[in-house]
Amino acid sequence: MKFDPSLASFILAFIGVLSGWVAWWFTKLKLDQEKDIHRSVLLATEDVNEKRDFNHLLNNYKQMSEAMTFGFNELEEMVRENRLELGEIKSYLIRNQNTSPGE
């Protein structure tokens, strides 16, 4: 059998192209895997951030509710005190009205 340089060059070129394609394919698979991992990490981070933000809002709502309850309790206490004072003033005025200074 006679050595055919064109066939040898074709085989070498084919092996080179095939090895380049395999290297490209493995690199692409690795890059896709890294992208998937990065995307998963971003989604998990966003989920954690959303939960944290929701918990902050929930805690703020609870604190505002407690503050409003405390404020309303103080307001009710002030109204009770004012009613007592107004009752005392009213009784004082009624008592003094009955006893006029000219008598």
Side-chain angles (χ1 to χ4, degrees), residues 24-78:
W24 172 82
W25 184 257
F26 281 129
T27 304
K28 182 182 180 313
L29 289 177
K30 184 178 178 184
L31 185 63
D32 288 346
Q33 184 181 19
E34 288 175 0
K35 284 182 182 179
D36 288 342
I37 289 172
H38 183 67
R39 189 178 306 120
S40 298
V41 167
L42 284 177
L43 288 174
T45 303
E46 287 176 3
D47 188 43
V48 167
N49 288 340
E50 288 173 359
K51 286 181 181 177
R52 186 191 69 226
D53 290 344
F54 178 76
N55 286 333
H56 281 305
L57 290 173
L58 186 63
N59 288 337
N60 287 344
Y61 173 76
K62 286 179 183 177
Q63 288 175 351
M64 286 190 309
S65 177
E66 290 171 0
M68 287 177 64
T69 301
F70 181 73
F72 281 129
N73 288 342
E74 279 190 13
L75 187 61
E76 287 177 1
E77 182 64 31
M78 290 170 57

Side-chain angles (χ1 to χ4, degrees), residues 90-103:
K90 186 177 179 181
S91 66
Y92 176 77
L93 289 174
I94 290 172
R95 192 173 347 125
N96 285 339
Q97 185 181 17
N98 290 338
T99 58
S100 59
E103 293 180 7

